[in-house]
Amino acid sequence: MTTTHGLAGRREWTGLAVLLLPTLVIAMDMGILFFAVPFISTELRPSGTEQLWIMDIYSFLLAGLLIPMGAIGDRIGRRRLLMAGAAGFAAASVLAATSDGAGQLIAARALLGITGATLMPSTLALIRNMFHDPKQRQAAMGAWGAAMMAGATLGPVAGGLLLDHFTWSAVFLAAVPVMVLVLLTAPLLLPEYRAPKSGRFDLPGALLSAAAVLPAVYGVKHLAVEGWSTGALLALLAGALLGAALVWRLRTAATPLVDLGLFRNRTFSGAVVVNTVTMLAMMGFTLYTSQYLQLVRGMAPLTASLWALLPSVGVFATVGASGALADRVRPGVRLAGGLVVAAAGFAIMTQVQPGSPLALILTGAGVLAAGTVASMMLTAELVVSAAPPEEAGAASAVSETATELGGSLGIALLGAAGAAVYSARLDDTLPAGLPADLAEVARDTLGGAVTVAGQLPDGLGGQLLTAAREAFTDGMHLAAVVGLLTMLLGAFLAHRMLGDLPVPAHTPETAEDGARQSELV
């Protein structure tokens, strides 16, 4: 239990481990599903459109419902929302695992997105309420950030291992025992918090929030896959108009979904902006690393995923180093420093060639991940610390929504930049004698070039592979340069907006402080 002087005790630290479980599962989702898609396609035979919805509907609904779910948790209780989400996520996982058609699987993935949206803001808000001492809260946020990165890294590995021994249903069933464990331990280890005077839930604001985010995410994802199109532009325009309507609603509602006063808090708004910029660069480059290992180096997916675990060593070292600096260096300076480290990782990536030693790209990925995680965990801590405890759920949901949008935009922008270079470079270096229809397939993606090369005589196929891998690496270099400049922009914004924040004084809230700020049920 919490000690009388406000420091977290054994119960809070054990409760943190419970909160990290759903965090890990959510972070693993897309990576673990990626391996299962070919097996799902073989058995359920979805159409091309249905396969896209199987992949995308989860992230659409997750992003669209984060803010409403965060606000609901502030009102009904964060532990209650966490447990409801865990139960729903387990049930939806069983529904997905037992799907006998694409329609059922799409519906199950939609339910996973809805219930997943309850988990992320609940975990961050509960950390805010459980850890009153700034230093302890930062350590807890460091563990949360490490769990996010570990989940993203372990997802492909777990997916590969499960599919080596079981059917595709196992990738969904794996989440069930984790969520059951959360349901069993949460009542024992997690306290219940809800805002004492939250007022009526803003249903029109919640609907506008979802209606604004969903077309925005759809438009950005469409840009990443199809490029510029009328549909994508209309979706982005609809998102912008609905976003303006949402702002009007939040300004005029008696009990708004999110207090716009939060954005007048420079710590909160600065942390959200910097985190969005950071995730734009990080997520936009992630696919390049995996494609380089698999399609340029020729590794099997599981082998590539295992090698990708090595950079996580730098992440855990960063968590410890950042905590050690917390007492001596101002948050804005540490945040800017982490982004400069991430920029150095991108600089290393600009030197990677098709024949480079494997250690070079792993070092670059490790430095990039270390700087990014250091920044991510600090912005998360700043967001929940800047918000009043009774609004921590909505505040963390705003941050998570910005993270989703930043990541989607990064995939679209950096993906488009690299793809443009790839197509242009390959067009100039295609081997003579390649049929026009096969050349068109090879120009689209590196994966297409690898497939075409396998259908050609050895000499011609080898020439195509060499040209395609060099063109892809050139595109990766441009994406790395864009990422480097984006991280430096983030460092500038961090220093400009947050540089004068003082080193936090470790004066934990007392039990009386907590009682005044939120209701302990």
Side-chain angles (χ1 to χ4, degrees):
M1 60 185 298
T2 304
T3 60
T4 56
H5 55 286
L7 292 175
R10 182 181 301 172
R11 180 183 176 187
E12 282 75 21
W13 289 109
T14 309
L16 174 64
V18 175
L19 293 177
L20 297 184
L21 292 176
T23 302
L24 193 67
V25 169
I26 295 296
M28 290 175 67
D29 177 82
M30 288 306 294
I32 201 170
L33 181 63
F34 177 78
F35 273 83
V37 167
F39 298 89
I40 292 172
S41 298
T42 299
E43 183 169 331
L44 301 185
R45 299 187 180 279
S47 65
T49 301
E50 288 173 331
Q51 183 166 307
L52 287 176
W53 279 113
I54 289 170
M55 294 292 293
D56 288 341
I57 195 166
Y58 170 86
S59 58
F60 286 166
L61 291 175
L62 180 72
L65 295 176
L66 280 169
I67 295 177
M69 291 301 183
I72 289 173
D74 289 340
R75 287 163 171 78
I76 71 170
R78 291 155 189 170
R79 185 183 69 187
R80 183 175 300 166
L81 183 66
L82 177 73
M83 293 180 64
F89 200 93
S93 296
V94 173
L95 182 64
T98 56
S99 295
D100 57 5
Q104 181 179 336
L105 184 55
I106 292 170
R109 290 283 293 165
L111 290 175
L112 286 170
I114 294 169
T115 53
T118 70
L119 301 175
M120 297 306 292
S122 299
T123 57
L124 281 173
L126 282 168
I127 289 174
R128 170 67 180 91
N129 290 123
M130 291 164 60
F131 296 91
H132 302 289
D133 175 66
K135 187 173 183 179
Q136 288 191 322
R137 186 162 58 240
Q138 184 182 44
M141 286 296 180
W144 179 87
M148 286 287 291
M149 183 59 70
T153 305
L154 288 173
V157 177
L161 291 174
L162 286 170
L163 291 167
D164 274 350
H165 298 88
F166 306 102
T167 67
W168 61 265
S169 297
V171 302
F172 295 107
L173 292 176
V176 175
V178 177
M179 294 303 169
V180 170
L181 184 59
V182 171
L183 289 171
L184 293 175
T185 56
L188 304 175
L189 296 171
L190 301 178
E192 178 64 287
Y193 289 90
R194 64 170 177 255
K197 297 178 181 179
S198 54
R200 178 178 296 180
F201 180 68
D202 182 15
L203 181 59
L207 294 176
L208 277 173
S209 172
V213 173
L214 286 172
V217 174
Y218 172 82
V220 170
K221 285 182 174 290
H222 196 280
L223 287 178
V225 177
E226 304 290 343
W228 292 101
S229 68
T230 302
L233 291 176
L234 288 176
L236 292 174
L237 178 61
L241 293 175
L242 290 167
L246 172 63
V247 172
W248 174 83
R249 172 67 190 179
L250 296 179
R251 290 170 62 92
T252 58
T255 55
L257 188 71
V258 177
D259 181 9
L260 285 180
L262 280 173
F263 293 92
R264 291 191 288 272
N265 182 318
R266 191 171 59 170
T267 300
F268 176 83
S269 57
V272 170
V273 168
V274 172
N275 188 56
T276 303
V277 171
T278 302
M279 295 310 295
L280 186 154
M282 177 65 180
M283 294 303 296
F285 197 78
T286 300
L287 291 178
Y288 285 97
T289 305
S290 61
Q291 288 188 79
Y292 178 88
L293 292 176
Q294 293 181 43
L295 300 178
V296 177
R297 305 290 302 210
M299 293 182 182
L302 182 56
T303 302
S305 300
L306 290 170
W307 276 110
L309 291 176
L310 286 181
S312 62
V313 175
V315 170
F316 293 106
T318 299
V319 172
S322 181
L325 294 173
D327 291 332
R328 296 186 292 274
V329 182
R330 289 180 309 216
V333 175
R334 284 189 289 127
L335 182 54
L339 294 173
V340 170
V341 170
F346 275 121
I348 295 172
M349 290 297 193
T350 65
Q351 304 305 305
V352 174
Q353 301 295 335
S356 295
L358 185 59
L360 184 62
I361 191 170
L362 294 179
T363 300
V367 174
L368 173 58
T372 302
V373 171
S375 303
M376 184 176 70
M377 71 182 192
L378 184 51
T379 54
E381 199 275 332
L382 289 173
V383 163
V384 297
S385 298
E390 62 270 19
E391 298 178 19
S396 60
V398 169
S399 178
E400 287 298 314
T401 302
T403 295
E404 291 288 329
L405 289 173
S408 297
L409 187 59
I411 292 172
L413 294 179
L414 271 68
V421 172
Y422 170 80
S423 297
R425 293 285 193 275
L426 187 59
D427 198 45
D428 293 337
T429 56
L430 280 173
L434 187 65
D437 57 334
L438 296 182
E440 188 63 29
V441 174
R443 285 192 199 96
D444 284 340
T445 64
L446 176 59
V450 171
T451 300
V452 168
Q455 302 171 3
L456 298 173
D458 290 344
L460 188 58
Q463 293 176 42
L464 175 61
L465 270 183
T466 299
R469 287 167 173 170
E470 290 177 351
F472 173 83
T473 307
D474 288 342
M476 186 175 75
H477 290 165
L478 177 61
V481 170
V482 174
L484 186 155
L485 295 176
T486 304
M487 287 297 187
L488 291 180
L489 172 63
F492 171 78
L493 293 173
H495 191 268
R496 184 67 178 268
M497 301 178 74
L498 305 168
D500 58 353
L501 289 180
V503 174
H506 300 306
T507 53
E509 300 163 342
T510 63
E512 290 77 13
D513 295 329
R516 284 194 297 268
Q517 294 168 329
S518 60
E519 181 182 2
L520 174 59
V521 180

